[in-house]
Amino acid sequence: MFSQYQSKVDDDGFNETEEKIFNLKILEKEEHQIPKEGIEIKINENKKERISFIKLLVATFCFAGLQFGWAIQYARLTPFTLEIGLPKYLVTLVWLCGPISGLLVQPVVGFLSDRTTFRFGRRRLYLLIGAICICLAMLLIGFCLDIGKLLGDKGSGNNPAALAFAVIGFWLLDVSNNMMQMPSRALVADIAAEDQQELGNAILTFWTGFGNTLGYTAGFIEWSSYTTTLETDVCREPCNNLKMCFLISMGFLIFSLIVTMIVAKEKPWTKESAEEKGEKTFLINELELENNQEVVEEQTEKKPQLSKIEKIKALLLKLIAIIKLVPISMWKLCVVNFFAWIGWFSYFVFITDLVGVYVFHGSTNDPDSPLYQRYEAGIRYGSFGLAGFSITAGVFSFIISWASSRYGLKLIYGLGNLSLAILLISTYWVSDKYVAVAVISLFGIPSAVTNVIPFGLTANYADDDKKGIFMGLLNIFIVIPQLVLSAISPLIQLMFNGDIRAVLIFGGICAFISSLLTWIVKVPKSMTEKKKKKKKKKNQKGKNTTSTVIF
């Protein structure tokens, strides 16, 4: 047994390096077991300092600008593409761009941004490129009818050129949104301390709700009643409204991105640190300890220069190697996320249609009939409910972190998925317009859970140089459920005579499965011990305590 040494030090008096050297000194004095050649220790230099709540809030402001445009896309683009001549049965194929681009773009951007040596930071480059492409896509869609006329479109639903530019812009918009979303989330993982990851993702959820609320509101304002500046002989009121929405969205996106780039201080990533884990190896030998010297020698290796093709091959091999080394805890989280997002996509795709058809008893068969007017009224109420959903999600995003630390992260995560299941299944009995708005708004509570906890866990599972790829992997299990639901929902509707409530109930069953699977998720110690550490520091503030070092 080793002896015990009493040392009058403050609990936080040693940094990591000093503590290891102090312990080695005691070991050397008591047992003389330090070999002549020295002992290697690894010291992690990437431990991040905590930043203020206000700074974290402002640094992630660009997420609100991103979500503003995404909400307009959900609110306006389907009616617009139908108006310019897209067959209704092709609408779902156009919307498949979202999951396909998410499946391909986010993991790739995550992997590349982890290793980007841009002098102003790893994430800034992709945020900037994504924002530029979003603006270009919005201009293509908004002015597609005007471009189509220049290329010979006849109008009155016969707009092949305009339709082509609209679809190209639609796909570019989805790709760009995904290109910008991943670095936005990874930026939180980069700048926030380990015990601030939940808070950081809660702030992203708040900005999601804020941006969505503004976007849904802008999408249903009749801008033509205020200005007709952008109207042309081929671009009437609906087209003018879309142009105004997109121009406002572009301005807000640019403003929010500038704020983020000013406030978010990224540490430039060097080529050497992009290929390492952020740990330095030091050699401490016996002579240095005897002389009471804390001298360290950094061991470095020079790597041969590779050609561009060899670098690409190396990156692909490293990507495959990283995926193979993904911990089982991450795969468990992905499985839970998979079932939860089947429920979420059934909600996003069908919830407004549910209000138009089963609450207002409307129909889309004849645009000139009163039934169509009922359907449009139902869509407006459903959109109003989505605005309430965004507000609820934004408010509860800040409660999730507190609740998970007080009652346990697994419990809150499980209850969130369970509430999603209950709400989805309950839509079968919704028949009143005010109840419909209330139920749609209540979905914001499980949305806050879904957008905070999984991303906080992922940030804690990953090393600093793998956060981007881990976020991309989690996103894959958000994207795949949409592909699965796109394939299954027509079969479900066929089995139940076109009743979309059956799809919502199916989503509720999947969400219930995810709530049961929540209990297999592993919560890192860095998250579970956060509250204990805060309490300990509070009790020991201003006091010098006697610490015992035992070997």
Side-chain angles (χ1 to χ4, degrees):
M1 292 291 295
F2 292 105
S3 300
Q4 296 182 351
Y5 280 80
Q6 301 285 337
S7 174
K8 195 91 170 175
V9 295
D10 182 80
D11 231 14
D12 296 323
F14 284 142
N15 61 33
E16 187 178 0
T17 307
E18 292 170 339
E19 184 177 354
K20 289 182 178 180
I21 293 175
F22 174 75
N23 293 341
L24 283 171
K25 287 179 182 179
I26 296 175
L27 178 66
E28 183 269 338
K29 288 180 181 179
E30 283 297 305
E31 298 295 332
H32 305 284
Q33 292 185 1
I34 299 179
K36 297 283 185 181
E37 62 272 16
I39 291 179
E40 284 188 357
I41 60 174
K42 286 186 177 180
I43 299 167
N44 193 335
E45 295 190 339
N46 284 335
K47 189 173 181 180
K48 297 182 286 292
E49 296 181 358
R50 290 174 59 86
I51 64 175
S52 69
F53 170 80
I54 296 298
K55 187 174 182 180
L56 191 56
L57 180 71
V58 179
T60 53
F61 184 42
C62 67
F63 212 69
L66 174 65
Q67 295 299 323
F68 186 103
W70 225 326
I72 292 174
Q73 184 178 356
Y74 278 113
R76 282 282 185 182
L77 284 193
T78 295
F80 181 70
T81 53
L82 291 172
E83 178 191 343
I84 62 177
L86 182 70
K88 195 169 185 179
Y89 66 89
L90 292 179
V91 170
T92 54
L93 295 180
V94 175
W95 277 102
L96 278 178
C97 171
I100 292 173
S101 63
L103 189 64
L104 298 176
V105 173
Q106 288 210 30
V108 173
V109 171
F111 179 75
L112 293 177
S113 68
D114 281 342
R115 287 151 182 80
T116 295
T117 57
F118 188 51
R119 59 178 295 189
F120 298 110
R122 291 184 289 175
R123 316 300 178 187
R124 275 176 164 77
L125 179 62
Y126 297 93
L127 289 172
L128 183 61
I129 294 174
I132 292 172
C133 291
I134 287 173
C135 292
L136 177 60
M138 288 182 174
L139 291 174
L140 280 176
I141 299 171
F143 290 86
C144 67
L145 285 170
D146 302 293
I147 297 172
K149 182 184 178 182
L150 294 175
L151 297 177
D153 282 351
K154 304 300 182 182
S156 301
N158 184 17
N159 304 295
L163 190 57
F165 277 100
V167 172
I168 291 171
F170 199 112
W171 279 64
L172 179 60
L173 185 58
D174 265 327
V175 170
S176 307
N177 282 334
N178 280 290
M179 182 185 294
M180 195 173 175
Q181 186 182 52
M182 194 294 308
S184 299
R185 288 196 175 276
L187 185 64
V188 172
D190 289 343
I191 66 177
E194 286 186 2
D195 63 345
Q196 290 182 303
Q197 294 298 326
E198 281 184 74
L199 175 62
N201 284 288
I203 290 174
L204 288 185
T205 304
F206 167 76
W207 285 132
T208 298
F210 181 79
N212 282 342
T213 302
L214 294 180
Y216 287 129
T217 303
F220 285 91
I221 292 177
E222 292 296 326
W223 296 102
S224 294
S225 61
Y226 300 99
T227 177
T228 59
T229 305
L230 299 176
E231 286 189 18
T232 63
D233 56 342
V234 293
C235 181
R236 301 298 184 183
E237 288 187 10
C239 176
N240 178 72
N241 290 334
L242 184 65
K243 284 181 180 178
M244 288 299 301
C245 287
F246 276 161
L247 290 176
I248 293 170
S249 177
M250 289 165 57
F252 185 57
L253 175 64
I254 293 169
F255 172 71
S256 64
L257 182 61
I258 291 173
V259 172
T260 291
M261 287 191 166
I262 292 174
V263 177
K265 303 299 181 183
E266 282 191 89
K267 183 179 179 181
W269 205 248
T270 64
K271 292 182 179 180
E272 291 78 14
S273 61
E275 296 174 355
E276 298 173 358
K277 291 183 178 179
E279 292 184 339
K280 292 186 177 180
T281 302
F282 295 92
L283 181 66
I284 300 179
N285 60 42
E286 184 180 21
L287 180 61
E288 289 168 347
L289 288 174
E290 287 178 353
N291 294 333
N292 218 8
Q293 296 174 340
E294 298 178 2
V295 181
V296 295
E297 296 174 1
E298 183 178 347
Q299 299 177 335
T300 60
E301 295 182 4
K302 293 184 178 180
K303 297 185 178 181
Q305 295 293 323
L306 301 176
S307 66
K308 289 185 177 180
I309 295 177
E310 288 174 329
K311 286 181 179 179
I312 293 173
K313 289 181 179 179
L315 284 174
L316 291 175
L317 290 173
K318 191 163 187 177
L319 176 59
I320 294 171
I322 290 172
I323 292 175
K324 287 182 178 179
L325 293 175
V326 170
I328 188 65
S329 55
M330 184 65 197
W331 291 115
K332 289 178 179 179
L333 177 63
C334 287
V335 171
V336 176
N337 217 42
F338 171 81
F339 284 101
W341 274 95
I342 290 179
W344 277 117
F345 279 120
S346 69
Y347 168 78
F348 286 122
V349 172
F350 294 110
I351 197 65
T352 54
D353 196 40
L354 172 86
V355 181
V357 175
Y358 294 98
V359 176
F360 280 76
H361 306 288
S363 173
T364 59
N365 293 332
D366 184 5
D368 296 323
S369 70
L371 292 178
Y372 186 82
Q373 299 303 318
R374 289 185 186 178
Y375 177 80
E376 283 293 313
I379 295 299
R380 287 194 294 271
Y381 268 85
S383 300
F384 184 69
L386 285 173
F389 157 81
S390 300
I391 294 171
T392 306
V395 171
F396 274 85
S397 63
F398 291 107
I399 300 176
I400 298 303
S401 181
W402 168 81
S404 61
S405 64
R406 182 177 179 84
Y407 300 106
L409 188 143
K410 277 189 180 182
L411 177 62
I412 299 302
Y413 193 18
L415 289 177
N417 289 334
L418 180 61
S419 64
L420 172 61
I422 293 172
L423 288 169
L424 284 169
I425 294 172
S426 70
T427 58
Y428 184 84
W429 293 278
V430 173
S431 58
D432 180 79
K433 59 185 179 182
Y434 298 112
V435 173
V437 170
V439 170
I440 294 173
S441 299
L442 285 175
F443 275 91
I445 298 174
S447 176
V449 174
T450 302
N451 285 286
V452 172
I453 292 179
F455 291 99
L457 287 168
T458 301
N460 279 273
Y461 289 155
D463 296 329
D464 278 348
D465 66 332
K466 297 183 181 68
K467 291 188 186 297
I469 191 64
F470 272 49
M471 290 292 180
L473 179 62
L474 184 67
N475 184 71
I476 289 175
F477 284 86
I478 295 175
V479 168
I480 293 177
Q482 186 170 347
L483 297 174
V484 171
L485 188 67
S486 296
I488 293 178
S489 63
L491 300 176
I492 297 174
Q493 292 180 68
L494 183 63
M495 292 171 59
F496 292 91
N497 298 319
D499 194 339
I500 60 172
R501 293 176 296 182
V503 181
L504 290 166
I505 292 174
F506 173 75
I509 294 171
C510 290
F512 179 71
I513 293 173
S514 73
S515 70
L516 298 178
L517 292 175
T518 301
W519 306 107
I520 69 174
V521 172
K522 180 181 178 182
V523 181
K525 290 182 179 179
S526 60
M527 299 181 76
T528 58
E529 294 178 354
K530 178 176 66 174
K531 185 182 175 183
K532 295 179 181 178
K533 287 181 179 179
K534 286 183 178 179
K535 186 176 181 180
K536 184 179 179 181
K537 285 185 179 181
K538 184 177 180 181
N539 293 336
Q540 294 181 348
K541 187 177 180 181
K543 296 180 181 179
N544 286 330
T545 59
T546 302
S547 65
T548 303
V549 183
I550 303 176
F551 295 92

